[in-house]
């Protein structure tokens, strides 16, 4: 790893697909560009695989659960799901710079991003909590520029790993402290469902996240319950 790579904040430098996953990243990007005007969304979800695999349009074969949680919160609304598996903040920035969200006028944008920035791979280094928070700030700048006056809901990064003392849990806690501060500073709504996703002893159950990251229908129900009152004014 070069010194430049160590010092520059990769979380704020837009980049297209970085990792291989169970779907075609480029095809999904083109699908969003092709369908977003027809959907004319009232609600836009921006995120990674946790958002991608929940449901909605553009349709994906990777949906987890039975979609009851999705329908329980989103059935009354036109929703665009801009979740992309394996995306980091820098991937979202690239997508926003290349047409996603252009010309749309949603009333609410929900952002859940950052968990993949905590991972180290051959294609991208792990970022610090401060770097990831700057990535979120850059994403929100793009959203505000493209949709002035939109209501932005910032989701806390969901818990990962089974045990509460895992180092990644500490990193996520640091990220969420910074996300909450950004939301307060800018007048966004900050939502943290981490306590609802965890068991009483602080562990993350496989009934909620079988791989200790991605949600089952049980986990998505908690997310739906948190979002439902926020969308009731639409």
């Amino acid at each position: 790893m070069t010194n430049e790579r160590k010092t520059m904040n990769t979380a704020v430098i837009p980049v297209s697909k970085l990792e291989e996953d169970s779907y075609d990243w480029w095809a999904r990007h083109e699908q969003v560009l092709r369908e977003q005007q027809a959907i004319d969304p009232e609600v836009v979800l921006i995120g990674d695989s946790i958002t991608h695999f929940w449901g909605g349009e553009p349709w994906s074969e990777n949906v987890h659960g039975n979609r009851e949680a999705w329908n329980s919160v989103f059935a009354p609304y036109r929703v665009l799901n801009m979740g992309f598996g394996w995306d980091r903040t820098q991937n979202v920035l690239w997508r926003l710079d290349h047409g996603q969200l252009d010309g749309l006028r949603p009333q609410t944008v929900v952002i859940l991003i950052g968990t993949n920035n905590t991972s180290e791979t051959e294609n991208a280094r792990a970022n610090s909590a401060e770097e990831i928070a700057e990535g979120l700030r850059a994403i929100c700048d793009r959203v505000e520029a493209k949709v002035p006056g939109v209501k932005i809901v910032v989701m806390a990064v969901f818990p990962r790993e089974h045990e509460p003392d895992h180092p990644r849990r500490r990193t996520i806690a640091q990220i969420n402290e910074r996300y909450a501060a950004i939301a307060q500073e800018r007048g966004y709504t900050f939502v943290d469902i981490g306590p609802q996703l965890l068991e009483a002893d602080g562990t993350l159950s496989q009934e909620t996240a079988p791989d200790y990251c991605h949600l089952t229908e049980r986990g998505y129900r908690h997310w739906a319950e948190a979002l439902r009152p926020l969308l009731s004014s639409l």
Side-chain angles (χ1 to χ4, degrees):
M1 185 182 298
T2 66
N3 288 334
E4 181 183 12
R5 191 179 180 209
K6 288 179 182 178
T7 57
M8 68 180 182
N9 183 3
T10 55
V12 299
I13 301 173
V15 65
S16 59
K17 173 183 173 177
L18 285 168
E19 311 290 349
E20 292 299 325
D21 206 339
S22 57
Y23 74 104
D24 186 328
W25 191 95
W26 288 104
R28 183 165 175 81
H29 173 61
E30 291 301 321
Q31 191 178 17
V32 169
L33 297 182
R34 189 170 58 249
E35 298 181 16
Q36 61 185 12
Q37 297 293 340
I39 294 171
D40 184 23
E42 299 162 282
V43 180
V44 172
L45 307 181
I46 295 176
D48 47 46
S49 55
I50 300 172
T51 299
H52 180 173
F53 298 163
W54 195 1
E57 300 294 338
W59 177 244
S60 172
E61 295 180 354
N62 302 74
V63 171
H64 293 180
N66 57 25
R67 286 178 282 169
E68 286 184 11
W70 175 275
N71 290 331
S72 75
V73 62
F74 295 125
Y77 313 112
R78 300 185 306 278
V79 182
L80 175 65
N81 185 335
M82 283 170 43
F84 280 57
W86 248 124
D87 263 17
R88 302 169 188 250
T89 56
Q90 55 262 48
N91 302 119
V92 172
L93 290 170
W94 188 95
R95 292 195 277 117
L96 292 173
D97 287 347
H98 288 78
Q100 294 189 16
L101 209 60
D102 283 6
L104 303 181
R105 289 295 177 264
Q107 297 181 44
T108 302
V109 172
V110 180
I111 303 172
L112 172 64
I113 197 67
T115 194
N116 290 320
N117 289 78
T118 68
S119 295
E120 184 90 19
T121 73
E122 293 181 358
N123 304 308
R125 69 170 174 85
N127 294 108
S128 69
E130 185 61 38
E131 289 178 324
I132 296 167
E134 288 307 306
L136 172 72
R137 190 183 294 274
I139 289 169
C140 292
D141 287 344
R142 300 295 206 282
V143 172
E144 287 189 354
K146 290 176 180 293
V147 193
V150 70
K151 177 180 180 179
I152 295 178
V153 177
V154 173
M155 299 298 306
V157 175
F158 295 164
R160 289 184 63 174
E161 313 300 344
H162 179 244
E163 297 297 330
D165 60 354
H166 192 283
R168 198 195 300 258
R169 289 279 196 99
R170 291 194 290 274
T171 300
I172 289 173
Q174 294 166 356
I175 295 167
N176 289 338
E177 288 177 3
R178 289 162 172 79
Y179 278 17
I182 291 171
Q184 182 176 23
E185 168 195 332
R186 296 190 169 202
Y188 304 154
T189 300
F190 178 72
V191 179
D192 185 0
I193 65 166
Q196 286 72 49
L197 296 175
L198 297 173
E199 304 303 305
D201 61 0
T203 59
L204 183 59
S205 168
Q206 287 186 310
E207 292 182 29
T208 299
D211 59 356
Y212 303 120
C213 175
H214 297 94
L215 299 182
T216 61
E217 183 73 9
R218 180 193 190 194
Y220 283 123
R221 281 199 298 271
H222 290 296
W223 195 2
E225 288 165 4
L227 289 180
R228 196 175 300 116
L230 301 179
L231 302 182
S232 62
S233 61
L234 292 182

